[in-house]
Amino acid sequence: MGIGLSASADNSAGENGDEADRLAALEAYGILETSEERAFDDIVALIARICDTPMALVALIDRDRQWFKARYGLEMRETPRPVSFCEQGLDEDGLFVVSDAAADPRFADNPLVVGPPHVRFYAGMPLVTDDGRRLGTLCALDTAARPQGLDSRQALAMEALAGQVMAQLELRKALRERSRTEERLRLALITSENVAAWDWDLVADRLVADARFAEFYGVDPAVAAAGAPLETYLHRIHPEDLDGLRAAVRAAVEGGGRFEHEYRLLGPAGEIRWVQARGACLSDGEGRPTRFPGAVVDITDRKLAEEERSQIARAQRLLSQELSHRIKNIFAVVSALVSLSARQFPESRPFAENLRTRLAALARAHEFVSPSPIGERSAGASLHAFLADLFSPYAGPDGRSRVLIEGDDATFDDQAATPVALLFHELATNAAKYGALSRDEGRVRLTAERRCDRYVLEWVETGGPPLNGDPMRQGFGSGLATLSVEGQLAGRLERVWAPEGLRCTIDLPARALSRRPDATFRAETSPESVR
Amino acid sequence: MSARILIVEDEALVALELRFQLEGMGYGVAGVAADAATARSLAAQEVVDLALVDLNLADGPTGMSLGRELAGQHDVAVVYLTGNPDLLRDEVAGAIGVLCKPADEAVVEAAVDFALRRRRGDRSIPAPPAMRLFG
């Protein structure tokens, strides 16, 4: 292995992964190829003086070279990495001293020893980041050998000043990052019409903001650019939103987290501007909140649109309630008209009565399916509840219902209301005239069952007058029931005239009663009984 | 002397049919009012035993408070008639109950009979099923 020659592949900084990290860390400081700076120059001059050497360097180890940020007593700016003394120091934990390079097998053949600048004595302190990455060294060099090395005072100075070099590097890095952030913000501002940005120094309570922000918040742009306390910016906040905003800011500062809040600003003429503010509260290494940058976006248009939408929804609800009231009223008027007309034509009374009860059933069904005045969309009416109501006039002398409703309930909507009303009205009326309900002891059992995609109802009459096959009277009534089931509901209606009473089967597609996909079919645990 | 009934309803046709029904049952109709003000003045001038009161009148949804007034100040048995039973969620002090419109003649008859009996303190018969009672 060549004396003083260390190839990058066999580097003393460890594995290739570590070296890549080290280089990345060095890169992050943005120090390579920068010009001379007073802070670093002063340090090398000082260390040369303290160590009594003609040369001193701040050396940074790059991929293939060592580059000098500051030089005292040396013209060259860089050397290839293999000839670097400092390279050796990267492995060391602290001060690395070479008393006589010419006598040291590692360095005797080194061009920097053999030729200019004829280094004989070298003392270097590694420059180490907080996370242990070695960037380079602060070193002092002499052309004469120095068997005694550095004394304790000089060694202490090396350590302290190496620390100072690192502090300077960190400072540059922080400033560089900050100006990059500012650059990004500036770019964001340029590309966006409505973004107003701020940066709040929490420690000094100094909030710096751009021109647009200043405009929103009614602050002189010069004052905003220079920075002013937070309170300066709050006078345009809508009074109702002020407390909420303060609380949100406090939460972000104390919780050290993201900040997002919507509030109103008042313009000079009292006009309202809705804004959304977003930012983040940043802390220092010890968790103390230090900076709170962010940006504000005008969202007035969006808020107005939302307000409009909810107004439209309100208006729609009112309209739908209006309509519902009108429908109910019309039924009442039509019913009255029918009765009044019948009074003029006494012979038409049976007809009028028949018509009136059909209308009443219709009215009731539509009332069941109409939306509630509270304004919520009704989920559809319960069939069993409607039927219980429809059959209530047929209650027995004890007040109990004579139509027993059992099985799966269903919801029905406005489209099904008419056929449902007419069908069951006919069944009940006919039962009352000729069937089970014409006798006190007569009963009807109505059983409902959901079978796959069908909904099947069985109407079974008992206790009525005995039947002898098909009754003579078919008439419009039965036709109306059939029309409702087979026409409007697309189902099947079947009548069987058993001796003990009519058995009627109504077989409907499950979707016939309600178009809603989530219409329910619930099993009932006990049969319906009426109040 | 048959009972006198006040009809408070803004749909003229509905009111007229009600009048015929009531007179057919043998009751007297004290008057027909389409709004609360007319109803109040009729109640002040006439003998009224029972009032059938619609919730929505010509002057708005004034039926509810009118019924309360008639029951409280004029000792009238009040039965509300409405197409919107949901409007009357809470009970009204003094009123007897609610009927849904359109109510058929038999229901009206039973309700009127029940209400008049109640007013006399006669609780011998149950309320008709179609009537929602208060209290």
Side-chain angles (χ1 to χ4, degrees), chain A residues 39 54 103 285 295 369 509 522:
Chain A
V369 300
R522 311 183 313 272

Side-chain angles (χ1 to χ4, degrees), chain A residues 62-138:
Chain A
D62 196 8
R63 188 185 316 274
D64 304 309
R65 59 172 177 167
Q66 66 171 351
W67 179 83
F68 307 132
K69 172 63 181 175
R71 307 153 291 157
Y72 179 82
L74 208 68
E75 282 305 310
M76 56 182 75
R77 235 39 248 271
E78 64 180 66
T79 69
R81 186 164 171 178
V83 308
S84 146
F85 276 69
C86 306
E87 179 82 37
Q88 292 285 355
L90 285 186
D91 250 355
E92 301 293 321
D93 259 335
L95 195 57
F96 171 58
V97 176
V98 177
S99 311
D100 186 352
D104 190 321
R106 293 174 296 180
F107 301 107
D109 288 350
N110 190 305
L112 301 174
V113 177
V114 167
H118 302 289
V119 177
R120 293 292 288 277
F121 170 72
Y122 170 95
M125 193 72 198
L127 299 170
V128 185
T129 67
D130 282 340
D131 51 0
R133 308 236 176 260
R134 286 141 206 269
L135 304 177
T137 58
L138 170 68

Side-chain angles (χ1 to χ4, degrees), chain B residues 20-34:
Chain B
F20 283 138
Q21 285 180 2
L22 292 169
E23 288 173 348
M25 293 168 203
Y27 298 110
V29 171
V32 174

Side-chain angles (χ1 to χ4, degrees), chain B residues 51-129:
Chain B
L52 294 170
V53 183
D54 190 6
L55 290 182
N56 283 308
L57 299 174
D59 55 351
T62 54
M64 183 146 46
S65 58
L66 172 70
R68 202 181 290 127
E69 220 181 284
L70 291 173
Q73 293 168 23
H74 301 270
D75 185 33
V76 172
V78 169
V79 174
Y80 288 105
L81 266 179
T82 178
N84 313 117
D86 288 329
L87 281 178
L88 206 52
R89 292 191 165 243
D90 304 313
E91 306 194 345
V92 174
I96 295 190
V98 193
L99 275 185
C100 285
K101 283 200 311 195
D104 70 31
E105 196 163 343
V107 169
V108 171
E109 183 161 20
V112 168
D113 180 50
F114 173 81
L116 287 170
R117 280 175 191 266
R118 254 303 188 84
R119 188 159 171 273
R120 296 200 290 270
D122 174 357
R123 287 174 184 247
S124 57
I125 61 162

